[in-house]
Amino acid sequence: MTAILIYLLGMALVMVIVAGIGIFWAIKSGQFEDLEGPAQRILMDDDDPRIPRYSDSRSNR
Amino acid sequence: MEHPGCAEKTCFHCALPVPPGAHYQVIIEDVPREMCCRGCQAVAQTIVDNGLADYYRHRTAMPGAGHEVVPEELQKLALYDHPGIQKSFVRQEGEHVKEASLILEGITCAACIWLNERHLKQLRGVLQVQVNYANHRARITWDDQVIQLSKILEEIQLLGYNAHPFSAERQENLRRQRRAKDLRRIAIAGLSAGQVMMLAVALYAGAAFGMEDSTAALLRYLSLLLTLPVVFYAALPFYQSAWHALLGRRLNMDVPVSLAVISAFAGSVWATFQGQGVVYYDAITMFSLFLLSSRLLERSAQEKSVEAAENLLKLAPAMAIRVVDDQHLPVLVLELNEGDTILAKPGESIAADAEVIEGRSTVDEALLTGESRPVPKSPGAAVIAGSINLEGPLLLRVTGVGENTVLAGIVRLLDRAVAEKPRLAQLADRVAGHFTVILLILTVLVGAAWWWVEPGRAFETVLAVLVVTCPCALSLAAPTAFAAAGSHLLRHGILLTRGHGLETLAKVNHVVFDKTGTLTYGKPVLQRTIQLAELDENRCMALAASLEKTSEHPLAQSFLVRVARPELVPVQEAQNLPGKGVSGIIGGVRYTLGSSALSGLPAAALPGELPAGSTLVWLCDERRALAVFVLSDSLRPQARELVARLKAAEVRVSMLSGDAEDAVSHVAAEAGIEAWQAALRPEDKLNALRELQRRGNVVAMVGDGINDAPVLAGADVSIAMGGGTQVARASSDIVLLTENLLDIQLALQTGHASMAVMRQNFAWAIVYNVLALPFAALGMVPPWLAAIGMSASSLVVVMNALRLR
């Protein structure tokens, strides 16, 4: 009983640490600075067209 | 492509009408589109050539008109590659990697951001591009060996946007770091709180249904471990603030907060090692989390109003073109001196406060005043640093640089308003201070009482009392409301220069107006045109404006603002006849414009009655008078409505003027003001004002800010019309940057609204504390519930204040 408890609690602790590192990274990379833009940006369909155009070949050069 | 149903063609890029005969086409997604000018054509072509035509499908707002992309414009950008100039806004990231913070002008919708980011990322050497939608700032990282900054700026310009360096970067950095730190503390508190709560549930369940002692001990030690970062990192700001207060022999709300956190933690640790007693890790973590969150909310509400002031400072450009012996030299604005001659090209912002020497143009002072109407400028007129020159090149003589500019003056006024705490906020601080003392005494009493009745629960109850009664909501009630109201007003061009402004506004029941420059424009405005010949009104106006084009007389402006530039006709042998008027030859006919004596023709009889105090300007050709223009100082269009609205809001209105009686009675009748006094000297005005105050009125005085300074100072709250260059000198509590009279009504409303919000906040904070205290003291509130209650009450206060924005 206690062994499995220790194991699970240990796992929880590890996960908390991983989550903490994740959030710290997100803060450091500035993801909390603009809370409006990304919501708008997702509406932009900026997938590259399937047929490469002149401009695409140029930029991939 | 022709649209048969569409009468007028509009530019596909900027939506302005396409001038007849213009033929600028760009093929966008296989459809040829009409553009209005070469600038738009170039911009659209760049967009299409780079495979970014999607922009046109997704945009939700039109961009500004394409700037004429001229080579010398681009040449100036090369200066930004200079290491000395880069020092102020570029950071060295790696050996060759640099990062710059830029302001992007012309962002109108999310599609603009996408366009800029996509396009710049395609450039070789550009490593990272981030455009912030909220404040239009771009952070760009690039490899110095591959690409130069000027090339990046050029590319942005080719897209039709304008990028310039952001020099207040250091301050911005500080704010970003502080925000990041706050967020990190909240993240730590949040993560810990979640885990500790989970373990707490297990412990509560264990207490109810039985749990092995060893398991309970394990859970407690784990909770202790998870609480450590909260107590020793996340909650640090509370201890610091409390410590500073204690050093200054004061008490603030962080004193009980710190006491609660530290004593709860100490008690819990003792219980954990003893293996018996109650632990409060859940309450500690949750309390910290909620408190930190509401502080962050409060701070961002306040930073918004500071940001508004800082954005003003950013309007001033970093570069200017100095003219020395007809040579145009780009220089840093920092190097400009008073008396220098500089050139402001159309589409650029003006680098310093200056006087126009040569050229005629309109200037956009919108970012300063919130109003987008272009203001005409001719030689002798003053322009303000940061305003944008719209039409033609202007040669300017610098009159103020750096700290001496109007812009800097406005920012100083704003700073002063922020620094001065309103009386109510001061009162709230004092009350919160007393409250803390009472709270600490009460806590000791409650602790002693419980110790005597039931020692086992004394500690828990003391904790609950400390936490639940934290006067956070009380201290937040006033500042959040003021911050929100202040930024709301500034967005409408109303500048609050003193801390007490809002508070007094809410109490105002009598508004006193000055006449000249306040209810009226203070300068002659064209009232009507009387035609004396068969020539129609528009033609007469065009002729008059063309003749006045070269004149420096103040009357000239009232003609020029009425006529669009393309309608002006060329004038030969233009002559200025000082004191009389102007003359010139248009289409072979000599015209004169000025007093009736100027033409040498017999004065024609005028039909109808003319308003008192008006000036007549005659337009004549060689044989006869063509038209008479009637000019007079007229009532501002919003004056009547404002008076009506004020009356409807049960605010009394009166007018005090130094002008002659008939002129004043005329304006008063027109505006609908019944109570007026004329021919007053400044001291008479002040006496009249004092008399009103003696009768128990709270008086707001509206004046032009300079001539009325003593009267303004005598009023309970003073409002100045602060358009143009007088802003910095205005000695009033509130400045109307837009010169829109209706803003007075808006200011009064905002004053009332912010006082209402503040009253609600205070009522809520006091009721909450008074209600919660007895329950906590009687031991009916467990510490975790106390934590929720306290934070919820602060959140309610902050949210309520944000309604004002």
Side-chain angles (χ1 to χ4, degrees):
Chain A
M1 164 69 186
T2 317
I4 186 74
L5 203 59
I6 290 174
Y7 172 71
L8 286 175
L9 289 174
M11 286 293 286
L13 207 59
V14 168
M15 274 193 220
V16 166
I17 291 168
V18 169
I21 292 171
I23 294 176
F24 271 46
W25 168 79
I27 294 171
K28 192 164 186 273
S29 65
Q31 292 184 36
F32 286 94
E33 276 165 37
D34 181 10
L35 302 174
E36 259 173 274
Q40 303 268 349
R41 209 167 296 163
I42 194 131
L43 299 172
M44 297 295 309
D45 199 8
D46 60 353
D47 296 333
D48 289 318
R50 294 239 178 96
I51 306 161
R53 287 189 198 165
Y54 156 73
S55 51
D56 292 318
S57 53
R58 196 182 66 165
S59 62
N60 293 337
R61 190 168 48 186
Chain B
M1 189 171 74
E2 288 291 331
H3 297 277
C6 183
E8 196 184 7
K9 282 187 293 185
T10 54
C11 175
F12 187 75
H13 180 74
C14 70
L16 291 174
V18 177
H23 197 69
Y24 303 110
Q25 271 193 344
V26 179
I27 295 168
I28 297 166
E29 302 199 295
D30 304 330
V31 182
R33 304 286 191 180
E34 289 291 338
M35 306 287 159
C36 66
C37 61
R38 200 149 15 95
C40 284
Q41 189 189 26
V43 171
Q45 195 65 55
T46 315
I47 291 173
V48 173
D49 286 351
N50 286 286
L52 301 171
D54 267 5
Y55 166 71
Y56 289 109
R57 258 194 283 144
H58 291 292
R59 65 178 175 181
T60 51
M62 288 297 166
H67 306 285
E68 292 283 345
V69 185
V70 281
E72 65 241 57
E73 175 94 347
L74 299 177
Q75 221 170 39
K76 209 181 71 185
L77 294 177
L79 236 96
Y80 282 129
D81 291 336
H82 195 273
I85 289 167
Q86 284 195 350
K87 217 168 10 184
S88 66
F89 65 97
V90 171
R91 235 187 29 219
Q92 198 80 30
E93 285 275 273
E95 201 185 339
H96 298 291
V97 181
K98 288 181 171 180
E99 189 199 54
S101 181
L102 303 170
I103 299 273
L104 280 187
E105 268 177 321
I107 301 267
T108 51
C109 63
C112 299
I113 292 172
W114 173 83
L115 182 62
N116 277 296
E117 287 189 350
R118 280 279 287 181
H119 182 66
L120 294 181
K121 271 182 202 155
Q122 283 176 7
L123 297 174
R124 250 169 56 84
V126 174
L127 305 175
Q128 212 187 351
V129 185
Q130 245 183 348
V131 183
N132 187 318
Y133 181 62
N135 53 18
H136 300 180
R137 257 177 236 157
R139 273 201 290 158
I140 298 173
T141 321
W142 75 96
D143 188 343
D144 214 12
Q145 283 179 311
V146 186
I147 194 165
Q148 294 294 311
L149 181 60
S150 59
K151 176 73 184 147
I152 299 174
L153 292 177
E154 189 186 318
E155 289 291 330
I156 294 174
Q157 222 162 46
L158 284 174
L159 285 175
Y161 299 88
N162 223 333
H164 45 81
F166 173 46
S167 48
E169 198 214 12
R170 200 147 18 115
Q171 200 153 0
E172 168 74 9
N173 257 344
L174 281 176
R175 194 158 50 215
R176 214 169 46 218
Q177 276 165 19
R178 201 176 56 205
R179 191 179 154 84
K181 210 183 261 174
D182 286 350
L183 283 172
R184 276 200 294 273
R185 292 189 203 278
I186 290 176
I188 290 278
L191 282 172
S192 300
Q195 296 305 308
V196 173
M197 283 302 288
M198 197 176 69
L199 298 176
V201 170
L203 280 171
Y204 287 131
F209 305 112
M211 179 188 269
E212 271 178 52
D213 277 352
S214 63
T215 313
L218 172 67
L219 294 182
R220 285 172 168 196
Y221 276 109
L222 199 60
S223 300
L224 169 60
L225 187 67
L226 283 163
T227 310
L228 279 177
V230 176
V231 173
F232 289 101
Y233 175 71
L236 273 182
F238 305 142
Y239 313 150
Q240 281 162 358
S241 155
W243 181 243
H244 281 301
L246 287 178
L247 277 186
R249 294 173 176 280
R250 286 179 298 114
L251 281 173
N252 65 4
M253 61 179 173
D254 282 328
V255 175
V257 167
S258 306
L259 265 180
V261 170
I262 293 173
S263 58
F265 183 68
S268 304
V269 171
W270 189 76
T272 306
F273 285 114
Q274 288 294 311
Q276 57 183 9
V278 197
V279 292
Y280 305 104
Y281 298 120
D282 49 342
I284 297 170
T285 50
M286 211 161 35
F287 183 53
S288 305
L289 171 66
F290 291 151
L291 209 53
L292 286 170
S293 307
S294 65
R295 296 260 171 102
L296 183 77
L297 267 183
E298 180 219 350
R299 189 175 291 167
S300 30
Q302 261 162 350
E303 271 177 2
K304 283 261 162 62
S305 55
V306 176
E307 220 168 85
E310 274 180 8
N311 275 329
L312 282 176
L313 269 186
K314 278 176 240 142
L315 298 178
M319 305 290 309
I321 301 170
R322 181 152 58 192
V323 182
V324 183
D325 306 328
D326 284 341
Q327 293 259 311
H328 294 180
L329 303 166
V331 291
L332 285 177
V333 167
L334 290 174
E335 292 172 6
L336 283 180
N337 291 314
E338 238 172 81
D340 281 357
T341 307
I342 55 170
L343 179 73
K345 290 187 180 165
E348 282 183 2
S349 37
I350 292 165
D353 281 8
E355 192 186 301
V356 180
I357 310 175
E358 206 182 295
R360 225 177 252 289
S361 177
T362 54
V363 169
D364 183 358
E365 292 171 351
L367 291 156
L368 224 52
T369 62
E371 193 176 348
S372 54
R373 191 166 45 105
V375 187
K377 298 286 179 190
S378 53
V383 291
I384 311 171
S387 55
I388 298 163
N389 181 15
L390 293 175
E391 286 177 18
L394 288 174
L395 205 59
L396 306 165
R397 183 172 46 243
V398 177
T399 56
V401 284
E403 278 297 291
N404 298 323
T405 58
V406 172
L407 204 58
I410 293 181
V411 174
R412 267 200 302 277
L413 287 178
L414 271 176
D415 285 349
R416 183 179 68 182
V418 174
E420 275 181 353
K421 268 201 174 174
R423 280 185 294 250
L424 258 174
Q426 285 172 8
L427 181 73
D429 277 359
R430 269 206 306 279
V431 170
H434 293 312
F435 191 86
T436 312
V437 178
I438 296 170
L439 169 66
L440 288 176
I441 295 170
L442 254 174
T443 314
V444 173
L445 289 179
V446 168
W450 275 96
W451 188 257
W452 189 54
V453 178
E454 194 185 339
R457 290 188 62 197
F459 188 63
E460 181 191 328
T461 316
V462 163
L463 267 187
V465 170
L466 271 180
V467 169
V468 85
T469 54
C470 163
C472 309
L474 198 61
S475 329
L476 289 178
T480 48
F482 278 120
S487 69
H488 172 73
L489 286 177
L490 192 64
R491 266 211 311 280
H492 288 87
I494 304 166
L495 180 65
L496 215 58
T497 74
R498 312 234 53 142
H500 74 82
L502 276 173
E503 219 172 324
T504 323
L505 268 182
K507 290 188 221 136
V508 165
N509 59 2
H510 198 126
V511 179
V512 176
F513 290 96
D514 180 42
K515 182 179 87 72
T516 315
T518 307
L519 282 178
T520 68
Y521 285 102
K523 58 190 175 214
V525 175
L526 186 67
Q527 294 298 324
R528 65 189 174 116
T529 312
I530 304 168
Q531 289 144 251
L532 301 171
E534 64 283 1
L535 231 54
D536 78 348
E537 198 180 321
N538 289 339
R539 178 67 184 156
C540 288
M541 189 63 80
L543 286 174
S546 308
L547 287 168
E548 288 281 27
K549 200 166 52 178
T550 53
S551 167
E552 291 175 19
H553 197 275
L555 284 183
Q557 278 309 325
S558 29
F559 291 98
L560 283 168
V561 293
R562 289 297 187 93
V563 176
R565 220 142 246 283
E567 282 177 48
L568 294 179
V569 285
V571 182
Q572 275 104 44
E573 290 182 35
Q575 253 185 308
N576 252 321
L577 309 161
K580 289 190 209 154
V582 289
S583 78
I585 295 175
I586 298 171
V589 183
R590 170 165 292 276
Y591 290 95
T592 57
L593 182 73
S595 64
S596 58
L598 178 66
S599 59
L601 297 167
L606 283 181
E609 225 172 85
L610 296 174
S614 49
T615 313
L616 301 182
V617 177
W618 297 73
L619 175 69
C620 307
D621 65 8
E622 286 147 349
R623 293 173 295 116
R624 62 208 163 128
L626 298 173
V628 175
F629 299 103
V630 182
L631 292 103
S632 69
D633 185 11
S634 71
L635 202 66
R636 289 177 197 267
Q638 317 92 1
R640 218 189 145 71
E641 196 184 340
L642 172 71
V643 171
R645 283 198 199 175
L646 287 177
K647 281 181 180 166
E650 293 188 348
V651 176
R652 281 187 294 283
V653 181
S654 61
M655 182 160 81
L656 300 174
S657 174
D659 291 5
E661 193 159 328
D662 57 336
V664 178
S665 70
H666 177 70
V667 168
E670 232 182 299
I673 299 175
E674 286 97 27
W676 52 268
Q677 294 177 46
L680 298 175
R681 289 168 301 163
E683 52 266 42
D684 298 334
K685 286 190 191 175
L686 193 57
N687 285 337
L689 200 76
R690 291 266 156 79
E691 180 55 35
L692 282 174
Q693 285 170 330
R694 247 197 308 282
R695 273 186 267 141
N697 291 308
V698 179
V699 183
M701 170 84 199
V702 189
D704 70 4
I706 295 153
N707 307 330
D708 300 321
V711 195
L712 285 175
D716 293 289
V717 59
S718 53
I719 304 171
M721 309 298 283
T725 47
Q726 308 109 346
V727 183
R729 283 177 284 153
S731 60
S732 62
D733 305 324
I734 292 163
V735 182
L736 299 186
L737 294 170
T738 52
E739 299 214 335
N740 181 350
L741 282 174
L742 291 180
D743 283 348
I744 294 173
Q745 162 79 0
L746 180 69
L748 285 175
Q749 268 174 0
T750 309
H752 281 293
S754 55
M755 290 313 280
V757 162
M758 212 160 3
R759 268 197 297 274
Q760 292 157 7
N761 279 355
F762 277 128
W764 166 257
I766 290 167
V767 165
Y768 162 79
N769 275 337
V770 167
L771 280 185
L773 187 61
F775 288 105
L778 291 175
M780 292 162 79
V781 182
W784 60 269
L785 189 60
I788 292 181
M790 189 283 320
S791 336
S793 81
S794 311
L795 274 182
V796 166
V797 163
V798 173
M799 297 293 189
N800 193 28
L802 287 178
R803 285 192 309 140
L804 283 170
R805 292 170 47 79

